[in-house]
């Protein structure tokens, strides 16, 4: 039997491989790094609910660096604090997390080939392209292009531990055009400071702006990467009796508001493994289940990216007047805006006008 080839042993490649093995495929995974998870650029902030959906694949708690209970939003100077009063997300050590998923795929029977880049035409048989934002599988097989990316820069900083349980998010289209800055605490001593801005803006200059905003110097040892900010219009096809599916960042299955791609990417990866030989079913299934949420993230990302800093400040103060923090504390959902918007968020302003 010609094996199914999975290109890339990131979280989406490994989850797709495990799902395909469960459906009876023989699977080969190709990873260009020496070991899966090496040098991952991800901040590792993942919702608890999203991680729970992977509990059959890895014990995520083993890879947790920190627990997060809320966020402090800086809307171009206007601050909002959302404290859910419970752990809603974890900061995950992606290196260990990715390695454990790749190990699980091998334990289930996949063969993993590391240390060599897979090149077109990627051997015989069907392919799952899980090869990240610069997917060579996508370009070789002529999939529609992703045209919108955020350029990112990150560095490890020391902090005073005051906001150990909170992510800090800095919105300003002057400083971080089209995206945002963040500080994600890893523990009481260290945090990751990072920025993204829609390319071709310069993330390095944006990281210097973040440094001034938080009053902390950011070391010159910085890590750079890109995040796809829109999904590909087509993610599966049949060509010369081969089925080619794209998954995860390669498919643009990313929350455009935050750049988070692990939750939706791995959810789609389960479907990619299941429908590895049926491209149409894969495309229909993931779009039906997750397309609305990903589209909502994209629309919110575009709307926020167009606002001037004075509009962002005004929105912050209006949100506070309508006690949106209270709503987010109870009903907030990092992954699924659709579950939050209707009817809860739309009814919330009316409720705040009714005296208690
Ligand atoms: C700065 C930054 C911060 C982020 N923060 C978060 C966050 O907090 N939470 C979150 O959920 N997401 C976050 N993300 C996004 C997240 O990292 C990705 O969505 C996720 O890693 C996508 O997984 P993947 O398996 O699709 O791709 P990847 O993790 O990119 O894995 C692709 C793999 O394919 C391999 N590969 C590529 N080409 C080839 C080839 N030709 N042959 C062999 N191997 C190949 C690569 O080496 C890589 O290991 C962040 C991203 C960035 C850049």
């Amino acid at each position: 039997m010609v094996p199914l080839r999975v290109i890339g042993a990131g979280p989406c490649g490994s989850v797709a491989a495990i799902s395909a093995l469960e459906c009876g495929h023989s699977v080969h995974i190709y990873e260009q790094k020496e070991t899966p998870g090496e040098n991952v650029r991800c901040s590792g902030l993942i919702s608890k609910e999203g991680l729970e959906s992977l509990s059959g694949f890895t014990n995520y708690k083993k890879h947790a660096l920190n627990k997060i209970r809320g966020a402090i939003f800086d809307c171009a100077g206007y601050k909002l604090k959302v404290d859910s009063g419970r752990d809603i997300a974890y900061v995950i050590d992606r290196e260990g997390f990715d390695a454990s998923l790749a190990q699980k795929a091998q334990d289930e029977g996949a063969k993993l080939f590391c240390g060599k880049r897979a090149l077109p035409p990627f051997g015989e048989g069907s392919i799952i392209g899980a090869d990240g934002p610069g997917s060579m599988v996508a370009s070789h097989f002529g999939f529609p292009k992703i045209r919108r990316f955020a350029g990112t820069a990150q560095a490890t900083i020391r902090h005073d531990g005051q906001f150990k349980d909170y992510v800090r998010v800095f919105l300003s289209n002057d400083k971080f055009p089209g995206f945002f800055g963040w500080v994600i605490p890893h523990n009481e001593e260290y945090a990751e400071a990072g920025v993204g801005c829609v390319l071709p803006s310069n993330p390095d200059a944006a990281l210097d702006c973040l440094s001034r905003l938080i009053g902390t110097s950011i070391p010159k040892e910085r890590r750079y990467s890109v995040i796809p900010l829109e999904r590909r219009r087509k993610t599966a096809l049949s060509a010369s009796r081969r089925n080619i599916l794209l998954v995860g960042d390669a498919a643009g299955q990313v929350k455009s508001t935050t750049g988070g791609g692990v939750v939706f990417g791995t959810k789609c990866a389960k479907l990619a493994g299941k429908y590895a030989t049926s491209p149409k079913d894969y495309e229909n299934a993931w779009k039906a289940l997750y397309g609305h949420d990903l589209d909502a993230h994209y629309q919110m990302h575009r709307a926020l990216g167009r606002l001037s800093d004075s509009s962002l400040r005004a929105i912050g103060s209006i949100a506070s007047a309508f006690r949106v923090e209270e709503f987010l504390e109870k009903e907030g959902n990092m992954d699924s805006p659709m579950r939050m918007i209707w009817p809860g968020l739309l009814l919330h302003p009316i409720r705040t006008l009714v005296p208690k």
Side-chain angles (χ1 to χ4, degrees), residues 8 11-12 31-32 42-45 94 118 130-131 154 249 259-262:
C12 299
E31 171 53 57
Q32 64 189 1
C42 179
S43 309
L45 182 69
R94 272 287 307 270
D131 51 341
Q154 307 149 271
D249 276 18
V262 173

Side-chain angles (χ1 to χ4, degrees), residues 113-157:
F113 302 90
C114 280
K116 202 167 162 214
R117 188 164 217 207
L119 294 171
F122 306 104
E124 291 171 55
S126 295
I127 296 175
I128 295 181
D131 51 341
S135 174
M136 208 193 266
V137 174
S139 42
H140 176 72
F141 289 99
F143 282 90
K145 286 189 170 38
I146 294 177
R147 296 186 189 277
R148 197 172 172 82
F149 289 91
T152 60
Q154 307 149 271
T156 303
I157 57 165

Side-chain angles (χ1 to χ4, degrees), residues 145-216:
K145 286 189 170 38
I146 294 177
R147 296 186 189 277
R148 197 172 172 82
F149 289 91
T152 60
Q154 307 149 271
T156 303
I157 57 165
R158 290 184 89 107
H159 71 134
D160 60 11
Q162 193 193 350
F163 301 116
K164 180 184 166 283
D165 306 324
Y166 298 88
V167 171
R168 291 161 73 195
V169 178
F170 298 84
L171 297 171
S172 160
N173 287 314
D174 284 349
K175 297 183 175 70
F176 319 114
F179 214 57
F180 59 96
W182 64 85
V183 176
I184 298 179
H186 286 183
N187 51 41
E188 279 174 5
E189 205 177 345
Y190 291 100
E192 179 194 276
V195 297
C197 38
V198 172
L199 291 176
S201 297
N202 175 359
D204 215 20
L207 196 54
D208 291 331
C209 287
L210 182 68
S211 165
R212 287 190 287 277
L213 259 183
I214 61 176
T216 304

Side-chain angles (χ1 to χ4, degrees), residues 51-79:
L51 287 165
E52 291 291 346
S53 74
L54 287 171
S55 56
F57 295 78
T58 177
N59 178 1
Y60 67 85
K61 287 192 178 158
K62 272 193 183 168
H63 309 293
L65 300 172
N66 196 10
K67 293 175 184 173
I68 299 296
R69 58 185 278 172
I72 299 167
F73 294 94
D74 182 318
C75 303
Y78 192 96
K79 292 197 178 48

